[in-house]
Amino acid sequence: MDELKDIVKERLAQLFNSETQEVTAGRLHTTQGNISKWLNGTQLVTTDNLYRIAKTYSVSIDWILGLSDVRDINGLNINNLTYEQVARIMDRLIIHNNIKILNHKEAVHQPSGDDYGEIQPGGIRIEIRPDDNSDYIKIKDRLLSYMLRRRYKIYDVGNDMVDYWYNNSLPHFKGLKVVDNTGNMQDVLDAKGWANLQDADWISLIEEISKLSEEERSALIQEIENKKKEDR
């Protein structure tokens, strides 16, 4: 209990720092005495006052209680972004015409010798960066690429499928932290094979390999490659 009081008084001190206790009390419709007790740690904030503080100052109750380091009520913890959050952000940017991501319908099918194409099973190189577009961005994360491709397909079907995507599909990825691709994460995904994976398959696979060290992933890649050679 003492630890919680210390956390709350520290967070409230940060929040009320630019105000006198009288001003804060007026904003929160309480007494200056209550403000003083909260800041001194002699009295915990009641539930209704927590709600009032969060609403008045637009901060997260979890932040006040020390359960999160994200202060703003609508803030994102950049170090713990999930695939659901990123997909929703990208979707909003696409809808508002802030960005445009090429899908297969807009790709130019032609032979190409540069590094921007991708070889398809049929031997056709799909040029995914138009020559006149210097704003090309490559989605290197395999799962994020899958989610964005799903998005385009669903939007082509109709509003019912869009609603289903928002309310039923995206929440599956709510707790799945975006992986760090600076190592061999994508290499092990490629080795595992992801072309026909569905939502649940992606989640279990990402959770599995995220727990492995760089060395363990390298060993897994080698194991998979050796198994493929034996099966030939």
Side-chain angles (χ1 to χ4, degrees), residues 97-130:
N97 205 29
N98 299 113
I99 63 173
K100 180 178 181 179
I101 297 175
L102 295 180
N103 59 23
H104 287 302
K105 291 183 178 180
E106 298 169 310
V108 179
H109 292 64
Q110 61 182 20
S112 173
D114 65 28
D115 295 328
Y116 297 106
E118 292 184 353
I119 298 294
Q120 300 301 298
I124 300 174
R125 181 181 288 278
I126 295 182
E127 182 65 33
I128 55 177
R129 188 193 77 166

Coordinates of all heavy atoms in Angstrom, one line a residue, residues 97-130:
N97 N -5.9 9.2 -46.9 CA -5.1 9.5 -48.1 C -3.7 10.1 -47.7 O -3.1 10.9 -48.4 CB -5.8 10.5 -49.0 CG -5.3 10.3 -50.4 OD1 -4.8 9.3 -50.9 ND2 -5.3 11.4 -51.2
N98 N -3.2 9.7 -46.5 CA -1.9 10.1 -46.1 C -0.8 9.3 -46.7 O 0.3 9.8 -47.0 CB -1.7 10.0 -44.5 CG -2.7 10.9 -43.8 OD1 -3.6 10.4 -43.1 ND2 -2.6 12.2 -43.9
I99 N -1.1 8.0 -46.9 CA -0.2 7.1 -47.6 C -0.9 6.2 -48.5 O -2.2 6.1 -48.5 CB 0.6 6.2 -46.6 CG1 -0.4 5.3 -45.8 CG2 1.4 7.1 -45.6 CD1 0.4 4.3 -45.0
K100 N -0.2 5.6 -49.5 CA -0.8 4.7 -50.4 C 0.2 3.5 -50.5 O 1.4 3.7 -50.7 CB -1.0 5.2 -51.8 CG -1.6 4.3 -52.8 CD -1.9 4.9 -54.1 CE -2.5 3.9 -55.1 NZ -2.8 4.5 -56.4
I101 N -0.3 2.3 -50.3 CA 0.5 1.1 -50.4 C 0.0 0.3 -51.6 O -1.2 0.0 -51.7 CB 0.4 0.3 -49.1 CG1 0.9 1.1 -48.0 CG2 1.1 -1.0 -49.3 CD1 0.8 0.4 -46.6
L102 N 0.9 0.0 -52.5 CA 0.5 -0.8 -53.7 C 0.1 -2.2 -53.4 O 0.7 -2.8 -52.6 CB 1.7 -0.8 -54.7 CG 2.2 0.5 -55.3 CD1 3.4 0.3 -56.2 CD2 1.1 1.2 -56.0
N103 N -1.0 -2.6 -54.0 CA -1.4 -4.0 -53.9 C -1.1 -4.7 -55.2 O -0.6 -4.1 -56.2 CB -2.8 -4.2 -53.5 CG -3.8 -3.5 -54.4 OD1 -3.4 -3.3 -55.6 ND2 -4.9 -3.1 -54.0
H104 N -1.4 -6.0 -55.3 CA -1.1 -6.7 -56.5 C -1.8 -6.2 -57.8 O -1.3 -6.3 -58.9 CB -1.4 -8.2 -56.3 CG -0.4 -8.9 -55.4 ND1 0.9 -8.9 -55.7 CD2 -0.6 -9.5 -54.2 CE1 1.5 -9.6 -54.7 NE2 0.6 -10.0 -53.8
K105 N -3.0 -5.6 -57.6 CA -3.8 -5.1 -58.7 C -3.0 -3.9 -59.4 O -3.2 -3.7 -60.6 CB -5.2 -4.7 -58.3 CG -6.1 -5.8 -57.9 CD -7.5 -5.3 -57.5 CE -8.4 -6.4 -57.2 NZ -9.7 -6.0 -56.9
E106 N -2.3 -3.2 -58.6 CA -1.6 -2.0 -59.1 C -0.2 -2.2 -59.5 O 0.5 -1.3 -60.0 CB -1.7 -0.9 -58.0 CG -3.1 -0.5 -57.6 CD -3.1 0.4 -56.4 OE1 -2.5 0.0 -55.4 OE2 -3.7 1.5 -56.4
A107 N 0.3 -3.4 -59.2 CA 1.7 -3.8 -59.6 C 1.8 -3.9 -61.1 O 0.9 -4.3 -61.8 CB 2.1 -5.1 -58.9
V108 N 3.0 -3.5 -61.6 CA 3.3 -3.6 -63.0 C 4.0 -4.9 -63.3 O 5.1 -5.1 -62.8 CB 4.1 -2.4 -63.5 CG1 4.4 -2.5 -64.9 CG2 3.4 -1.1 -63.1
H109 N 3.4 -5.7 -64.1 CA 4.0 -7.0 -64.4 C 4.9 -6.9 -65.6 O 4.5 -6.7 -66.8 CB 2.9 -8.1 -64.7 CG 2.2 -8.4 -63.5 ND1 1.3 -7.6 -62.9 CD2 2.0 -9.6 -62.8 CE1 0.8 -8.1 -61.8 NE2 1.2 -9.4 -61.8
Q110 N 6.2 -6.8 -65.4 CA 7.2 -6.7 -66.5 C 8.5 -7.2 -66.1 O 8.8 -7.2 -64.9 CB 7.3 -5.2 -67.0 CG 7.8 -4.3 -65.9 CD 7.8 -2.9 -66.3 OE1 7.1 -2.5 -67.3 NE2 8.6 -2.0 -65.6
P111 N 9.4 -7.7 -67.0 CA 10.7 -8.1 -66.6 C 11.5 -6.9 -66.1 O 11.3 -5.8 -66.5 CB 11.3 -8.5 -68.0 CG 10.1 -8.8 -68.8 CD 9.1 -7.8 -68.4
S112 N 12.3 -7.1 -65.1 CA 13.0 -6.0 -64.5 C 14.3 -6.5 -63.9 O 14.4 -7.7 -63.4 CB 12.2 -5.4 -63.3 OG 13.0 -4.4 -62.6
G113 N 15.4 -5.7 -64.0 CA 16.7 -6.2 -63.5 C 17.1 -5.5 -62.2 O 18.3 -5.6 -61.8
D114 N 16.2 -4.6 -61.6 CA 16.7 -3.9 -60.4 C 16.3 -4.7 -59.2 O 15.8 -5.8 -59.2 CB 16.1 -2.5 -60.4 CG 14.6 -2.4 -60.3 OD1 14.0 -3.4 -59.7 OD2 14.0 -1.5 -60.8
D115 N 16.6 -4.0 -58.1 CA 16.4 -4.7 -56.8 C 15.0 -4.5 -56.2 O 14.8 -4.9 -55.0 CB 17.4 -4.2 -55.8 CG 18.8 -4.6 -56.2 OD1 19.0 -5.6 -56.8 OD2 19.7 -3.8 -55.9
Y116 N 14.1 -3.9 -56.9 CA 12.8 -3.5 -56.3 C 11.7 -4.6 -56.6 O 10.6 -4.4 -56.2 CB 12.3 -2.2 -56.8 CG 13.3 -1.1 -56.4 CD1 14.1 -0.4 -57.3 CD2 13.3 -0.7 -55.0 CE1 15.0 0.6 -56.9 CE2 14.2 0.3 -54.6 CZ 15.0 0.9 -55.5 OH 15.8 1.9 -55.1
G117 N 12.1 -5.6 -57.4 CA 11.0 -6.5 -57.8 C 11.1 -7.8 -56.9 O 12.0 -8.0 -56.1
E118 N 10.1 -8.6 -57.1 CA 10.1 -9.9 -56.4 C 9.8 -11.0 -57.4 O 8.8 -10.9 -58.2 CB 9.0 -9.9 -55.3 CG 9.3 -8.9 -54.2 CD 8.3 -9.0 -53.1 OE1 7.3 -9.6 -53.3 OE2 8.5 -8.3 -52.0
I119 N 10.6 -12.1 -57.4 CA 10.3 -13.2 -58.3 C 9.2 -14.0 -57.8 O 9.1 -14.5 -56.6 CB 11.6 -14.1 -58.4 CG1 12.8 -13.3 -59.0 CG2 11.3 -15.3 -59.2 CD1 12.6 -12.8 -60.4
Q120 N 8.2 -14.2 -58.6 CA 7.0 -15.0 -58.3 C 7.3 -16.5 -58.7 O 8.2 -16.8 -59.5 CB 5.8 -14.5 -59.0 CG 5.5 -13.0 -58.6 CD 5.3 -12.9 -57.1 OE1 4.3 -13.5 -56.5 NE2 6.1 -12.2 -56.4
P121 N 6.5 -17.4 -58.2 CA 6.6 -18.9 -58.6 C 6.7 -19.1 -60.1 O 7.4 -20.0 -60.6 CB 5.4 -19.5 -57.9 CG 5.1 -18.7 -56.8 CD 5.4 -17.3 -57.3
G122 N 5.9 -18.3 -60.9 CA 5.9 -18.6 -62.3 C 7.1 -18.0 -63.0 O 7.2 -18.0 -64.3
G123 N 8.0 -17.3 -62.3 CA 9.2 -16.8 -63.0 C 9.0 -15.3 -63.4 O 9.9 -14.7 -63.9
I124 N 7.8 -14.8 -63.1 CA 7.5 -13.4 -63.5 C 8.0 -12.5 -62.4 O 7.7 -12.7 -61.2 CB 6.0 -13.2 -63.7 CG1 5.5 -14.1 -64.9 CG2 5.7 -11.7 -64.1 CD1 4.0 -14.0 -65.1
R125 N 8.7 -11.4 -62.7 CA 9.1 -10.5 -61.7 C 8.0 -9.4 -61.6 O 7.6 -8.8 -62.6 CB 10.4 -9.8 -62.1 CG 10.9 -8.8 -61.0 CD 12.2 -8.2 -61.4 NE 13.3 -9.1 -61.3 CZ 14.0 -9.4 -60.2 NH1 13.6 -8.8 -59.1 NH2 15.0 -10.3 -60.2
I126 N 7.5 -9.2 -60.5 CA 6.5 -8.1 -60.3 C 7.2 -6.8 -59.8 O 7.8 -6.8 -58.8 CB 5.4 -8.5 -59.2 CG1 4.6 -9.7 -59.7 CG2 4.5 -7.4 -58.9 CD1 3.6 -10.2 -58.8
E127 N 7.1 -5.8 -60.7 CA 7.7 -4.6 -60.3 C 6.8 -3.8 -59.3 O 5.7 -3.4 -59.6 CB 7.8 -3.7 -61.6 CG 8.5 -2.4 -61.4 CD 10.0 -2.6 -60.9 OE1 10.6 -3.5 -61.4 OE2 10.4 -1.7 -60.2
I128 N 7.2 -3.7 -58.1 CA 6.4 -3.1 -57.1 C 6.8 -1.7 -56.8 O 6.3 -1.1 -55.8 CB 6.4 -4.0 -55.8 CG1 7.9 -4.2 -55.3 CG2 5.8 -5.3 -56.0 CD1 8.0 -4.9 -54.0
R129 N 7.7 -1.1 -57.6 CA 7.9 0.3 -57.5 C 7.8 1.0 -58.8 O 8.7 0.8 -59.7 CB 9.3 0.6 -56.9 CG 9.5 2.1 -56.6 CD 10.9 2.5 -56.3 NE 11.6 2.6 -57.6 CZ 12.8 3.1 -57.7 NH1 13.4 3.6 -56.7 NH2 13.4 3.2 -58.9
P130 N 6.7 1.7 -59.1 CA 6.7 2.4 -60.4 C 7.9 3.3 -60.6 O 8.4 3.9 -59.7 CB 5.4 3.2 -60.3 CG 4.6 2.5 -59.2 CD 5.6 2.0 -58.3

